[in-house]
Amino acid sequence: EIGLSTNYLGSLFTQQTGMRFRDYLCAARMERARELLQHTSLKVYEVAQQVGIRNAQYFSSLYQKHFGLLPGQTRR
């Protein structure tokens, strides 16, 4: 709609932020997931859904990769 390709928008985003959009989005999702785990009683699969990840196992592996902890460990 704005007449720019997704590749060009991606390169502009990277130039401005120093990170790829997909990495930024993943980091934002993981930060929100940590907040939800710390401050709600939602189950891990519910937190995954809340941050836009349908597969709870995939979510857990991303979370562990990002924070070095499993989602359940954050809650404790």
Side-chain angles (χ1 to χ4, degrees), residues 2-73:
I2 61 173
L4 300 174
S5 72
T6 55
N7 288 338
Y8 182 67
L9 284 174
S11 67
L12 287 176
F13 186 88
T14 301
Q15 287 173 5
Q16 293 297 310
T17 65
M19 63 189 323
R20 295 181 308 174
F21 179 75
R22 69 188 296 180
D23 296 333
Y24 171 82
L25 181 59
C26 183
R29 285 177 168 165
M30 294 300 104
E31 290 298 331
R32 179 64 180 142
R34 181 167 58 179
E35 290 173 12
L36 291 170
L37 288 166
Q38 290 173 339
H39 302 293
T40 71
S41 60
L42 293 172
K43 294 178 174 32
V44 171
Y45 76 89
E46 294 171 319
V47 171
Q49 291 173 347
Q50 288 286 314
V51 299
I53 300 172
R54 293 182 186 183
N55 184 306
Q57 288 180 318
Y58 177 63
F59 166 76
S60 291
S61 75
L62 281 178
Y63 192 91
Q64 185 173 23
K65 190 176 185 180
H66 192 79
F67 292 115
L69 297 169
L70 291 170
Q73 293 173 306

